[in-house]
Amino acid sequence: MNRVFVTDCEGPVSLNDSAYEAAAAFIPDGDRFFRKVSEFDDILADEIKRPGYNAGDTLKLIVPFLVAYGVTDEKLIEFSEKTLKLVPGAADFLGIAQRLMPSYIVSTSYRHYIEALCRATGFPLENAYYTRLSLNTEISEDERKRLFSLREDVIEGDFELLDEIFFHIIPEMEIGGILDGVKTVGGEGKRLALMEILDELGLNQEAAMYVGDSITDVEPLRELKGRGLSVSFNGNRFALREAEIAVISDDSRALMPLLDLHSRFGREYIIEFVKAYTENPERALESFRLDFRVADKFRELFRDRYPVIAIIDDPDELLEDSLDMRMGIRGEDVGSLG
């Protein structure tokens, strides 16, 4: 039975929001700056649904500011390596996934961060999709100073001012040309990456399991809902709204039963397992055809407190617990971002 596993990176695999952390480290008041742009991104992608705009294009919008504040490819690679933090069990979980079936990471993160993560986990970079760009570009002093001023305007501005800055002022600047080469892998970009993977493997949606946690995962989760396996891992309201199964845990290996069953059975069998697990985790582990090694490892890891694995009938019923776990392991600053 041919199957494929695809996961987002930041959330299910790593604890970072690498772009937020880079902005906070290199740009004055960068935490406030990034949060404002992220809120702008949520409005554009989820409420206004601006044509041609993808959730996660925050990473595109902030590029001129990173350049203005002297961030180079080399600096961002070094920063990514120093700050990389994995979800407990993530490297082990990725290894299990790769042994069971073709496995891919589809991430909005910059290539600098994904390269660092692949080196740390041993995951093959050729099986990762990510936002490609180079920050090694020239910028005039006049434009650098202009962006310094615009940074303050972004922090204090309203939606209309941000729209003017990001879609009129910066594109008309010389540094704005750098944006033409930045294609973020977020929202629709993630869905297209998922479909490209399926096409290359000669598979359809029923063969895929996708794990995500945020607004950038809405489209791929929606693509598989009711067909493949769409899973929210410590998801926020956007992910829970679109996924069919919620997993809430401080360890990525909570996904092991779903991964094992997906590698050998269809979605209906997995749905029945999740329903039985919700009623009685131990009985479900015994009654369904899990690999005994997976079941034993799962018991060993979680016997004191089994993770939540549940069908999402009402996202609001799971939202508080999911957000509490999300912020508990990632921190409130990162966990509260869209």
Side-chain angles (χ1 to χ4, degrees):
M1 184 175 288
N2 294 325
R3 289 287 186 264
V4 62
F5 172 67
V6 184
T7 182
D8 176 31
C9 177
E10 296 180 355
V13 176
S14 64
L15 297 169
N16 304 94
D17 186 305
S18 57
Y20 166 79
E21 291 165 21
F26 293 109
I27 298 173
D29 282 335
D31 53 345
R32 293 174 60 207
F33 168 81
F34 187 91
R35 189 170 294 280
K36 192 64 174 284
V37 181
S38 180
E39 292 169 356
F40 181 58
D41 175 271
D42 290 349
I43 294 170
L44 290 174
D46 187 59
E47 298 180 22
I48 294 177
K49 295 179 171 60
R50 186 186 182 107
Y53 189 89
N54 289 322
D57 273 359
T58 305
L59 273 72
K60 180 176 183 176
L61 300 180
I62 70 170
V63 167
F65 293 90
L66 292 174
V67 173
Y69 283 96
V71 182
T72 62
D73 291 337
E74 294 73 22
K75 285 183 179 180
L76 193 53
I77 288 169
E78 181 182 5
F79 179 79
S80 297
E81 291 175 340
K82 286 183 177 179
T83 58
L84 176 66
K85 297 177 184 177
L86 298 178
V87 177
D92 189 19
F93 175 72
L94 287 177
I96 293 169
Q98 291 174 81
R99 290 193 293 272
L100 288 173
M101 71 194 90
S103 299
Y104 297 81
I105 289 174
V106 174
S107 176
T108 312
S109 308
Y110 297 135
R111 67 170 178 86
H112 316 73
Y113 178 78
I114 295 300
E115 289 176 0
L117 181 132
C118 287
R119 284 192 292 272
T121 62
F123 192 85
L125 183 62
E126 61 269 23
N127 281 21
Y129 288 71
Y130 47 85
T131 298
R132 300 172 182 268
L133 83 158
S134 175
L135 295 166
N136 293 348
T137 188
E138 298 295 324
I139 182 172
S140 70
E141 283 305 307
D142 286 344
E143 290 204 345
R144 189 188 304 275
K145 291 176 181 177
R146 182 78 190 281
L147 286 165
F148 289 172
S149 177
L150 289 174
R151 175 196 63 84
E152 298 176 3
D153 293 337
V154 167
I155 292 173
E156 301 298 334
D158 57 16
F159 179 87
E160 290 184 0
L161 179 57
L162 267 65
D163 190 274
E164 177 70 16
I165 290 170
F166 288 113
F167 295 108
H168 298 281
I169 295 175
I170 292 178
E172 292 176 0
M173 297 169 65
E174 186 174 346
I175 190 62
I178 195 175
L179 301 178
D180 296 335
V182 180
K183 304 297 181 185
T184 58
V185 182
E188 179 63 9
K190 284 191 173 183
R191 189 191 73 81
L192 292 174
L194 170 65
M195 300 308 291
E196 181 178 316
I197 291 166
L198 291 175
D199 185 61
E200 288 180 355
L201 296 174
L203 301 174
N204 57 26
Q205 290 93 329
E206 286 76 13
M209 173 179 171
Y210 184 91
V211 178
D213 77 309
S214 71
I215 192 172
T216 66
D217 300 301
V218 163
E219 280 79 2
L221 289 170
R222 185 182 293 157
E223 180 69 32
L224 295 187
K225 192 172 185 178
R227 290 186 280 189
L229 211 60
S230 57
V231 181
S232 162
F233 182 81
N234 299 336
N236 62 17
R237 61 188 175 93
F238 300 108
L240 285 170
R241 188 178 66 196
E242 300 299 338
E244 193 164 14
I245 297 171
V247 176
I248 302 173
S249 177
D250 60 1
D251 192 306
S252 291
R253 289 169 292 187
L255 291 157
M256 286 193 305
L258 300 181
L259 189 66
D260 175 56
L261 293 176
H262 173 68
S263 71
R264 293 179 289 118
F265 301 101
R267 68 180 303 277
E268 293 305 324
Y269 189 79
I270 300 168
I271 295 297
E272 290 305 311
F273 165 77
V274 174
K275 291 177 179 177
Y277 178 95
T278 302
E279 294 294 324
N280 188 320
E282 186 58 45
R283 184 179 300 169
L285 294 173
E286 294 174 353
S287 302
F288 284 76
R289 294 167 62 186
L290 282 164
D291 184 305
F292 74 91
R293 293 166 296 185
V294 170
D296 287 349
K297 183 67 172 178
F298 191 81
R299 290 188 186 96
E300 178 187 336
L301 289 167
F302 301 113
R303 186 179 295 278
D304 291 339
R305 185 179 181 184
Y306 281 123
V308 171
I309 304 177
I311 301 297
I312 304 173
D313 293 318
D314 181 356
D316 290 339
E317 291 182 355
L318 294 162
L319 182 59
E320 183 176 355
D321 287 343
S322 192
L323 289 179
D324 283 349
M325 182 64 72
R326 178 186 181 87
M327 295 186 195
I329 65 173
R330 301 184 72 186
E332 187 169 350
D333 286 344
V334 169
S336 62
L337 293 170

